[in-house]
Amino acid sequence: MVLVSAGALLAITFVGSHPGGSIRATPRHNASALLDAERVLLERCLKSRGFPSVDHQAIRELPRERQQQFDHALNGPANAKSVSVRLATGYTVSRSTSGCRYEAQRKLYDDFARWFRVSTIVNNIPAEANKKASGDPRFAEAKTAWSSCMKHAGYSAREQLELRAKPPSKAAKRTDVSCARSSGLSVITERYTAQITREHRARIDEYRDLQQAALRKAEELRLLP
């Protein structure tokens, strides 16, 4: 169960085997403050609905019926209205306009539908750039060279796949970046990251403006320490 959205933080940074580059809409400490503010609003809402604790382990230990009630409080009923965004990668992402998660973000960002659409598009830039890069004829050759480099460094095919599924260790990240550079993979992926970033510049600026407005709102509501 995800209690808060990662949408409050934009830090488009890729490990070496993925499109490279970094964009940040707000300083990291401000993004962290937004997450904290959203969490405060979320916990207040859940508490008002009978869930004083949102600890993951505590929720998992609740009876099944109570877990369903928690999910209902968090995300609203299954038939709740929602907003949707069709992404360049071909996927459609939807979010309920009911429940505490919605209420928390609505209070912080005011126009929830706008925030959801903009943040979803911007945070999809890594996947969009990766899709573009994978269509480059040079990508497959570079990816094979990267994989061989990783294997030579002691990372099996399974472990290479795990780099995409979870945050890598510092050692794995260093090896990944080194192999991406030596294979030429980083040159290809960075080019597409820069291209997609330019195409979404207006959205990124809008995302930044929404974050800045949310920070002011969080201060007004005294949600920040």
Side-chain angles (χ1 to χ4, degrees):
M1 299 178 186
V2 179
L3 298 187
V4 294
S5 167
L9 171 62
L10 170 63
I12 302 175
T13 306
F14 294 87
V15 179
S17 59
H18 303 279
S22 178
I23 313 161
R24 199 160 294 146
T26 61
R28 188 171 294 276
H29 66 277
N30 285 348
S32 178
L34 285 173
L35 285 175
D36 289 342
E38 185 178 333
R39 186 177 296 109
V40 170
L41 290 170
L42 181 67
E43 290 177 348
R44 287 178 183 175
C45 179
L46 288 170
K47 185 176 182 179
S48 72
R49 301 191 185 193
F51 293 94
S53 172
V54 292
D55 176 75
H56 288 276
Q57 184 60 38
I59 297 300
R60 282 194 294 267
E61 292 175 354
L62 291 173
R64 182 174 181 81
E65 181 179 356
R66 190 62 172 155
Q67 288 186 29
Q68 292 174 340
Q69 292 173 350
F70 175 82
D71 188 65
H72 190 287
L74 180 64
N75 299 306
N79 61 351
K81 293 182 179 180
S82 64
V83 293
S84 300
V85 182
R86 177 73 174 178
L87 299 171
T89 47
Y91 294 99
T92 296
V93 181
S94 300
R95 175 67 61 80
S96 169
T97 55
S98 181
C100 286
R101 182 156 55 180
Y102 159 74
E103 290 294 341
Q105 292 191 354
R106 183 185 61 79
K107 287 183 179 179
L108 198 56
Y109 296 98
D110 291 324
D111 188 339
F112 172 80
R114 181 187 179 198
W115 163 250
F116 176 72
R117 292 189 180 100
V118 171
S119 62
T120 301
I121 290 171
V122 170
N123 283 294
N124 189 62
I125 289 176
E128 187 177 345
N130 191 48
K131 183 178 180 180
K132 286 277 189 180
S134 63
D136 190 312
R138 299 165 298 175
F139 183 84
E141 182 178 349
K143 190 64 181 291
T144 298
W146 168 85
S147 183
S148 296
C149 177
M150 292 292 292
K151 185 177 181 179
H152 182 73
Y155 293 90
S156 66
R158 179 182 62 80
E159 290 171 324
Q160 292 174 31
L161 289 174
E162 288 177 351
L163 290 175
R164 295 175 176 272
K166 60 183 179 181
S169 65
K170 290 183 179 180
K173 186 173 182 178
R174 284 195 298 269
T175 304
D176 183 13
V177 171
S178 176
C179 287
R181 288 173 178 168
S182 64
S183 66
L185 185 61
S186 61
V187 174
I188 298 171
T189 55
E190 285 168 6
R191 181 178 297 117
Y192 285 99
T193 299
Q195 175 189 326
I196 299 301
T197 299
R198 287 193 299 270
E199 293 174 2
H200 286 292
R201 178 51 58 189
R203 288 289 192 184
I204 293 171
D205 290 342
E206 185 179 8
Y207 187 97
R208 178 199 59 211
D209 292 343
L210 289 171
Q211 287 182 314
Q212 293 298 332
L215 279 171
R216 292 192 293 270
K217 185 68 173 292
E219 290 175 350
E220 292 173 6
L221 296 175
R222 298 184 178 181
L223 300 173
L224 303 179

